[in-house]
Amino acid sequence: MLTAEVSLYPQKTTSASQIINNSIDTLRQYDLQTQVGSMSTRLQGTDQEVWAGLQSLFYKASNQSEVNMVVTISNSAF
């Protein structure tokens, strides 16, 4: 089981909140526990699901804007 805390920062856009929310919506296709906060989102699940979710989150956002994504990975629970 992995836990990831991820922060997504869209660049050069006036639609940052929309890009972040659209990207977080992509996580629903994975079997992940999520906690959405004001500055980051926590994901928990199997190794494969967490890595796939992070990749999906990044690609969804990067298709809409330049982005920076900061991730902390842990093998401990929330």
Side-chain angles (χ1 to χ4, degrees), residues 61-78:
S62 66
N63 284 332
Q64 301 171 71
S65 174
E66 292 179 13
V67 294
N68 292 328
M69 189 167 93
V70 178
V71 182
T72 302
I73 304 286
S74 176
N75 63 353
S76 63
F78 286 166

Side-chain angles (χ1 to χ4, degrees), residues 34-62:
T34 60
Q35 291 179 344
V36 179
S38 61
M39 294 298 292
S40 65
T41 297
R42 287 188 175 185
L43 316 174
Q44 187 173 331
T46 65
D47 296 10
Q48 296 81 8
E49 291 290 308
V50 170
W51 289 115
L54 290 171
Q55 185 176 28
S56 176
L57 184 77
F58 180 80
Y59 286 137
K60 177 69 172 186
S62 66

Side-chain angles (χ1 to χ4, degrees), residues 9-55:
Y9 302 101
Q11 305 295 306
K12 302 177 186 174
T13 181
T14 58
S15 304
S17 294
Q18 182 180 359
I19 292 168
I20 292 167
N21 290 333
N22 289 344
S23 298
I24 290 172
D25 285 344
T26 66
L27 298 175
R28 291 195 175 113
Q29 62 187 314
Y30 301 97
D31 187 23
L32 294 168
Q33 293 179 27
T34 60
Q35 291 179 344
V36 179
S38 61
M39 294 298 292
S40 65
T41 297
R42 287 188 175 185
L43 316 174
Q44 187 173 331
T46 65
D47 296 10
Q48 296 81 8
E49 291 290 308
V50 170
W51 289 115
L54 290 171
Q55 185 176 28

